[in-house]
Amino acid sequence: MNAITMVIGSICILMIAYRLYGTFMAVKVLKLDDSKKTPAHELEDGKDYVPTNRWVTFGHHFAAIAAAGPLVGPILAAQFGYLPGLLWLLIGAVVGGAVHDAVVLFASMRQKGESLAEVAKKELGPVAGFCTGLAMLFIITITMAGLSMVVLHALENNPWGTFAVGITIPIAMGVGLYHKKTGNLKVATIVGFILIMAAVFFGPYIQDTAFGDWLTLDVKTLSLVLPIYAFFAAALPVWLLLAPRDYLSSFMKIGVFIALIAGVFVVNPQLQMPAFTEFIHGGGPVMNGPVWPFISITIACGAISGFHAFVGSGTTPKMINRWSDIKPIGFGAMLVECVVAIMALVAATALHPGDYFAINSTPEVFKTLGMETVNLAQLSQDIGLDLEGRTGGAVTLAVGMTYIFTEIPWFSQAASFFFQFVIMFEALFILTAIDSGTRVARYLIQDFGGAFYKPLKRVDWVPGNIFASALACFLWGYLLFSGDIGSVWALFGVSNQLMASIGLIIGATVILRVADKRRYMLTCLIPLAYLYVTVNYAGYWMVKNVYLNTAATGYSVLNAVLSIIMLALGLVIIVTAVKNWFETWNTPAVKLNRKTA
């Protein structure tokens, strides 16, 4: 199969889904009404609640949700062949991910932009609210530390990347100040984008200078710098740093993948990976589990992700200008992220299987596969880096994209530049999610702490904001600095999809209350049924075959206990929700409409 066929077919499917299913969700299911004020207008405070241009909000939202998942997930899932990943990306994103993101955003905005934990408390009761908040705080802490580790390894001893990523901070603040003062988004966008691109291309020239030496940072230094930066991103007004930085970063994110799409059309590479590999039944070198349930667990954000619920009930609902903006921002951004994931899958499967598995497995394991590399030696020489055994997916994406770009005659001698550029691009991609994730963690801490000290719950109380931001950064910063996150990182895939299940549970509850036809809740129940079974089976499989298996390399009683706790929290929430659904179903529609009006 050639790449052009996959890309064109996928984009057409996603565009049709947005036009038809997205409109159905917006008009029929959620009944979006622009005559009503959004929380951004109703509670405008100039800090968190700020009515924001649709495309700026889209840029922020897309930049925040599109982290490591759509980049790394499809790379790792390529172990099973190109077809399982492609099918799950398209089906999962349309039926599950886009619906999840839209309904969570809608549910949060109905409750004045509050977190999903607060929404769960009001929709399902205090027990479900507490369990949701506990699950969210656990998952967001693990996620921030895990994403930061990817950034650490991308920027470690890399002055070019550190400069290009770091310079976006003052540029974004300048754009935010200019837009706030003048309201001229076009000029702010053009100037900000030109400055960022200039910084990217200027980066290589500082590597051998005194300034470059100053920016050559080790892991421990970076693990202190990142939480400090995140503190300011979480505590400062959203219009000053977080929103303009994410907005500008989204241009690079989308621009790089538009360039990759163009490169695919020029080169039209054949997908070297077969549709299915021998590892669909398990025992693969990248991940040991079978194609189901691990295709869904591994791809995560590219199809459906619980992390999106943090953003959709955190920063974004406090910025949306009109209710109808939920369609392009909630539903649409997820489909764009799916395109990103499909292009990452193309980059991975365009490599020869021997090259792919040599990068994504240790040399000792690769020797047992009976495979030979084809282009890896030449790619290593052109890039100037030994590529074997660089597991985790990030390097594979950079190599795959470099392989496609350098097939274009004009760029045939620029392999090292493209590789370093993509590594930097990945770091920037992930760092924007850390911005928003830390701010969401701040909201969660304020929600929990507000039960004991009421002023802390107020998002406009500066001392409370500073305290909660500092505590959020300390929690994941400690894990990052100590490296303890490595012992629980395997939990992220399962817990992330469990969080998505919780989002769909709350979405179904809200739809049952507001929709004209109660059967519309099937829009959430269908993906929920698949995802809940998948995540519970995956958790059971990991506990039985890995965490409590003394012969497995991932043996960990702690991970087993944490997995069981997470699945138990999900069980409490869904049992509470089912009880609530029966009670709501038996409530006359007229009485229910009065109650929810």
Side-chain angles (χ1 to χ4, degrees):
M1 183 177 183
N2 60 58
I4 287 181
T5 302
M6 177 189 288
V7 172
I8 292 178
S10 299
I11 292 176
C12 288
I13 290 172
L14 295 174
M15 290 177 65
I16 293 171
Y18 177 78
R19 179 66 181 87
L20 299 181
Y21 197 37
T23 301
F24 169 75
M25 289 296 302
V27 176
K28 295 292 186 179
V29 179
L30 302 180
K31 299 189 299 183
L32 302 180
D33 184 1
D34 283 341
S35 66
K36 297 179 180 179
K37 284 186 176 182
T38 64
H41 285 283
E42 191 175 347
L43 303 173
E44 184 175 1
D45 60 8
K47 297 177 181 178
D48 294 294
Y49 290 87
V50 180
T52 307
N53 177 278
R54 173 193 297 184
W55 300 116
V56 174
T57 308
F58 177 92
H60 154 71
H61 185 78
F62 174 75
I65 66 173
L71 301 179
V72 175
I75 298 290
L76 302 179
Q79 167 187 275
F80 300 119
Y82 71 80
L83 193 56
L86 178 63
L87 290 176
W88 172 241
L89 282 169
L90 292 175
I91 297 172
V94 173
V95 178
V99 171
H100 169 275
D101 291 10
V103 297
V104 166
L105 187 54
F106 176 76
S108 177
M109 290 177 65
R110 285 184 75 242
Q111 301 296 345
K112 312 302 182 186
E114 292 186 336
S115 72
L116 202 62
E118 289 297 301
V119 176
K121 184 186 299 183
K122 293 179 180 179
E123 298 288 353
L124 298 174
V127 174
F130 175 80
C131 291
T132 301
L134 189 60
M136 290 179 72
L137 189 56
F138 173 83
I139 294 168
I140 199 70
T141 301
I142 297 297
T143 301
M144 292 302 97
L147 293 179
S148 297
M149 279 191 166
V150 179
V151 176
L152 289 190
H153 293 298
L155 300 183
E156 179 186 3
N157 299 320
N158 183 359
W160 177 14
T162 302
F163 171 77
V165 171
I167 200 66
T168 61
I169 298 171
I171 292 174
M173 294 180 74
V175 168
L177 287 168
Y178 181 83
H179 182 230
K180 181 74 172 178
K181 184 176 181 180
T182 67
N184 192 328
L185 180 62
K186 183 180 292 186
V187 172
T189 300
I190 293 173
V191 173
F193 181 71
I194 290 174
L195 289 174
I196 285 180
M197 293 308 298
V200 170
F201 287 102
F202 183 73
Y205 299 102
I206 71 166
Q207 293 190 100
D208 298 320
T209 66
F211 185 53
D213 293 339
W214 185 70
L215 291 177
T216 304
L217 306 176
D218 59 21
V219 168
K220 290 300 182 183
T221 304
L222 286 167
S223 63
L224 293 174
V225 171
L226 285 178
I228 293 172
Y229 158 72
F231 167 79
F232 288 102
L236 289 174
V238 69
W239 58 266
L240 179 58
L241 176 57
L242 188 144
R245 188 178 185 280
D246 290 356
Y247 171 65
L248 292 173
S249 298
S250 67
F251 281 96
M252 180 176 291
K253 293 181 177 184
I254 296 174
V256 167
F257 277 94
I258 289 176
L260 180 57
I261 292 172
V264 166
F265 273 82
V266 173
V267 177
N268 190 19
Q270 292 294 313
L271 302 184
Q272 302 295 320
M273 193 74 72
F276 299 96
T277 70
E278 61 187 289
F279 303 117
I280 59 172
H281 303 296
V286 180
M287 66 193 77
N288 193 43
V291 66
W292 185 83
F294 287 95
I295 190 71
S296 301
I297 299 301
T298 303
I299 284 181
C301 301
I304 181 170
S305 170
F307 177 71
H308 296 189
F310 295 106
V311 182
S313 65
T315 52
T316 303
K318 299 175 179 63
M319 299 167 59
I320 289 192
N321 188 41
R322 300 188 304 171
W323 285 92
S324 60
D325 291 348
I326 288 177
K327 179 186 173 183
I329 294 167
F331 200 94
M334 178 64 242
L335 300 186
V336 175
E337 183 173 359
C338 181
V339 175
V340 171
I342 289 171
M343 296 312 300
L345 183 64
V346 168
T349 54
L351 296 173
H352 189 277
D355 297 340
Y356 168 85
F357 284 109
I359 297 173
N360 283 282
S361 55
T362 63
E364 295 76 19
V365 172
F366 181 70
K367 289 178 183 178
T368 66
L369 300 180
M371 296 181 179
E372 297 291 336
T373 60
V374 177
N375 301 310
L376 193 62
Q378 186 61 49
L379 285 168
S380 297
Q381 181 178 337
D382 292 343
I383 291 171
L385 187 69
D386 183 10
L387 300 173
E388 289 189 45
R390 294 184 175 268
T391 60
V395 170
T396 306
L397 176 63
V399 172
M401 292 179 69
T402 300
Y403 175 73
I404 292 173
F405 283 137
T406 53
E407 286 295 302
I408 301 173
W410 291 349
F411 305 136
S412 59
Q413 303 301 315
S416 59
F417 179 87
F418 278 118
F419 179 84
Q420 290 294 343
F421 178 81
V422 174
I423 289 292
M424 183 278 301
F425 155 76
E426 290 178 279
L428 187 61
F429 213 101
I430 295 167
L431 201 60
T432 52
I434 295 173
D435 296 351
S436 298
T438 304
R439 199 175 190 94
V440 171
R442 177 198 122 192
Y443 296 148
L444 288 170
I445 290 170
Q446 288 184 269
D447 283 340
F448 267 99
F452 304 97
Y453 186 62
K454 289 186 178 179
L456 188 60
K457 194 175 181 66
R458 289 169 40 207
V459 296
D460 60 345
W461 188 48
V462 175
N465 291 350
I466 293 174
F467 169 77
S469 299
L471 181 58
C473 293
F474 173 79
L475 288 174
W476 67 257
Y478 172 77
L479 294 175
L480 179 67
F481 186 81
S482 65
D484 290 343
I485 187 65
S487 63
V488 295
W489 174 248
L491 289 171
F492 171 69
V494 172
S495 60
N496 184 47
Q497 297 302 280
L498 179 63
M499 191 67 243
S501 299
I502 295 171
L504 289 171
I505 289 170
I506 295 171
T509 305
V510 172
I511 288 173
L512 183 59
R513 293 182 183 277
V514 304
D516 293 330
K517 298 178 180 179
R518 289 174 169 176
R519 66 173 180 267
Y520 286 163
M521 72 183 296
L522 288 173
T523 56
C524 286
L525 290 184
I526 290 173
L528 171 61
Y530 169 81
L531 200 61
Y532 190 75
V533 172
T534 297
V535 75
N536 277 273
Y537 180 71
Y540 163 77
W541 194 96
M542 289 296 294
V543 169
K544 178 184 176 183
N545 296 285
V546 180
Y547 298 148
L548 295 182
N549 180 4
T550 55
T553 55
Y555 171 75
S556 171
V557 175
L558 174 62
N559 283 4
V561 171
L562 292 175
S563 294
I564 294 170
I565 291 174
M566 290 298 300
L567 296 178
L569 288 172
L571 180 62
V572 171
I573 294 168
I574 197 166
V575 168
T576 305
V578 170
K579 180 182 177 182
N580 178 279
W581 295 340
F582 277 110
E583 292 174 353
T584 303
W585 193 276
N586 293 323
T587 302
V590 174
K591 186 176 180 180
L592 183 64
N593 288 337
R594 288 175 181 171
K595 186 177 179 180
T596 58

